[in-house]
Amino acid sequence: MSALRIQHGSSSHSAYDLRDYHAEVIEKHTLAVLVDNEAGVLARVIGLFSGRGYNIESLTVAEVDHEGHRSRITVVTTGTRDVIEQIKAQVGRIVPVHEVHDLTVEGPSIERELALFKVEGTGNNRIEALRLAEIFRANVVDSTLESFVFEMTGTSEKIDAFAELMRPLGLVETARTGVAALARGGKA
């Protein structure tokens, strides 16, 4: 007997689709926040997320204007449209925040992440790891007789896919930078 394929929100005891089409959809958004580069700013921005129970999937921070002492915080978070709007409004009210952009809704954007993967293996696993790295355009940045360290830049989905393929071949450690993102075109 085959297993029933029941979609989320429906029931095996009913012939009707019981999903609530009025329920709000959880969406992933990438926010770019320009702030003064001073002590405590990151803690205040991130404290807003944790204090209200908002999840952060990715976080990157770096100074982007040395003369103006400004840093860019890129946050990937999830929530309903209302929750995302609330997050943007609350972050925008923090004193050293100059700009808050929701790159997900403001138009096309480019997102990239850097990852390092340590893969241990010998024989065919080692050959297969090198073959997959070539397909994914990953660079070998360190090599010993027992392991490789691969470097890869790409979307989070590409990095996730590479990690999944490397697991059975001996993936032992991963380091990821988090998402860096910019709007496409002439807009800032």
Side-chain angles (χ1 to χ4, degrees), residues 112-117 151-154 159 175-180:
R112 293 294 181 267
E113 189 172 355
L114 171 70
L116 298 173
F117 302 93
E151 172 191 67
M152 177 189 294
T153 304
I159 289 171
R176 296 173 76 152
T177 61
V179 173

Side-chain angles (χ1 to χ4, degrees), residues 125-135 138 140 148 150 166 169:
N125 282 356
R126 191 171 171 87
I127 294 166
E128 182 65 8
L130 282 171
R131 189 183 70 75
L132 288 170
E134 185 176 342
I135 291 169
V140 176
F148 289 112
F150 297 107
M166 286 294 144
L169 300 176

Side-chain angles (χ1 to χ4, degrees), residues 12-57:
S12 62
H13 303 293
S14 174
Y16 301 100
D17 186 358
L18 302 175
R19 286 177 283 186
D20 182 4
Y21 289 97
H22 299 292
E24 295 193 63
V25 178
I26 303 295
E27 301 173 341
K28 182 187 288 188
H29 285 253
T30 302
L31 306 178
V33 184
L34 189 64
V35 300
D36 285 338
N37 186 14
E38 57 187 42
V41 174
L42 178 62
R44 291 204 312 249
V45 171
I46 301 316
L48 183 142
F49 281 81
S50 64
R52 289 164 179 79
Y54 303 142
N55 187 43
I56 295 175
E57 292 191 9

